[in-house]
Amino acid sequence: MCGLLAGCGGVEGRDNATAPLASGLTVAGASGTTVGDEDTSMSERLDVGSGPAVPTDACYAADILFVIDNSGSMCEAQQGLAAVVPDLVDAMFDSLAGGTDLHVGIVTTSFSHGGSHGETGCSAVEGPSVIADAFITDTLVDHNGYQGRLFEYDGRSYFETRTDEQSARDELKAWFAGAIVEVGCSGGAFDFPVAAAGYALGPGNAAANEGFLRDEGAALALLVLTNETDHSPGGVGMYRDMVLDAKSGCGGEDCIVTAGLLAPNCVPDYDPPVWQFLTAFGSAPSWADVRDPTLYEGVVAQTLAQGLVETCDDIGPVG
């Protein structure tokens, strides 16, 4: 895999990866939608039914990327997400129009392996130099799903199917749940979910992640599972731009929907980088407390059944 190694096409070196935040970044939709609140009205939001055939004037595809924290405190959260996979897959198939071309992928939050880390007041106790040393982009960290490379499981780096292929439901359920468990919780001590999303879709991993992301005519859903503060160097703007550049033909932020299972002591009040990132694409994200697995299904299903479908409805066809 080419990944982020020097000499590969479209490589982003460490200097670029830690560039200053682009000026003029506007963060919109900061309020979000919290699943579990009394006013969420999930029964009204999840009217999914059986999707109609894909119309010729709407998007033809949906790419769903799960950014999963694989640090030592995430075992229970990963198991909670895996447990609700059957319902999430049913939401994908039932919400999106029949015949929608579907890609589901996973990337971890690690850019290095091992280390130790602590937080106080939603901030790392370690200094910037320690964090920078853990954010490795100029050499290959040879672990599955690191540095923005898609996580490979059972011979696939992502699962591809169509929503009118009903026989694929059970296959996707098995692959997705198995992959989430296989991600594990022995990754790098520092979490870089924002950078992981950017690098997963950026040019530095174009070879490693080839085929996953479509641009024109395709909606993109970004879902983050993490219980700590993001430590991605350089500011949110550059990673947001990586995602927007990857979706420029489709229409940028109009083609993107986000969601998070996050630490409620940090979001939204402390406005940490992961929250800034999830709210930087126009629409407010759905989110819930990562410590409560009973809320996972609601967040992801709402993102799929409402946000992703509405986004797809607003996207024009290829060309």
Side-chain angles (χ1 to χ4, degrees), residues 18-88:
T18 56
L21 173 67
S23 62
L25 172 64
T26 300
V27 176
S31 60
T33 300
T34 307
V35 171
D37 289 353
E38 293 182 359
D39 63 349
T40 303
S41 302
M42 285 299 297
S43 61
E44 296 179 7
R45 296 177 185 272
L46 301 183
D47 183 14
V48 293
S50 58
V54 176
T56 58
D57 59 348
C59 72
Y60 76 97
D63 301 323
I64 303 174
L65 180 65
F66 284 78
V67 182
I68 296 181
D69 185 344
N70 62 329
S71 60
S73 59
M74 286 296 295
C75 295
E76 184 176 352
Q78 291 175 6
Q79 293 166 1
L81 182 61
V84 299
V85 159
D87 292 324
L88 303 185

Side-chain angles (χ1 to χ4, degrees), residues 224-260:
V224 175
L225 175 73
T226 185
N227 64 353
E228 293 186 352
T229 299
D230 178 271
H231 308 293
S232 303
V236 169
M238 62 176 296
Y239 305 112
R240 173 181 181 265
D241 288 346
M242 287 181 181
V243 177
L244 291 178
D245 287 348
K247 297 297 294 179
S248 60
C250 175
E253 66 180 26
D254 292 338
C255 304
I256 302 166
V257 61
T258 64

Side-chain angles (χ1 to χ4, degrees), residues 275-291:
W275 185 252
Q276 295 174 32
F277 180 74
L278 293 176
T279 58
F281 297 99
S283 299
S286 300
W287 74 282
D289 186 344
V290 69
R291 301 170 302 181

Side-chain angles (χ1 to χ4, degrees), residues 6 22 28 49 56 60 102 163 184 211 214 222 250 253 259 264 267 272 297 305:
T56 58
Y60 76 97
L102 182 65
T163 54
R214 282 73 60 86
L222 297 173
C250 175
E253 66 180 26
V267 299
E297 179 187 347

Side-chain angles (χ1 to χ4, degrees), residues 160-280:
E160 180 177 10
T161 186
R162 285 167 52 99
T163 54
D164 55 0
E165 296 177 355
Q166 296 301 315
S167 62
R169 286 193 190 224
D170 289 341
E171 295 178 21
L172 176 54
K173 290 173 183 178
W175 181 86
F176 191 26
I180 292 170
V181 172
E182 189 71 17
V183 164
C185 43
S186 60
F190 292 95
D191 305 324
F192 303 104
V194 172
Y199 273 94
L201 306 178
N205 280 315
N209 298 343
E210 184 178 6
F212 171 73
L213 185 75
R214 282 73 60 86
D215 189 0
E216 285 186 272
L220 170 65
L222 297 173
L223 301 102
V224 175
L225 175 73
T226 185
N227 64 353
E228 293 186 352
T229 299
D230 178 271
H231 308 293
S232 303
V236 169
M238 62 176 296
Y239 305 112
R240 173 181 181 265
D241 288 346
M242 287 181 181
V243 177
L244 291 178
D245 287 348
K247 297 297 294 179
S248 60
C250 175
E253 66 180 26
D254 292 338
C255 304
I256 302 166
V257 61
T258 64
L261 300 167
L262 310 168
N265 58 307
C266 295
V267 299
D269 294 341
Y270 279 85
D271 195 29
V274 68
W275 185 252
Q276 295 174 32
F277 180 74
L278 293 176
T279 58

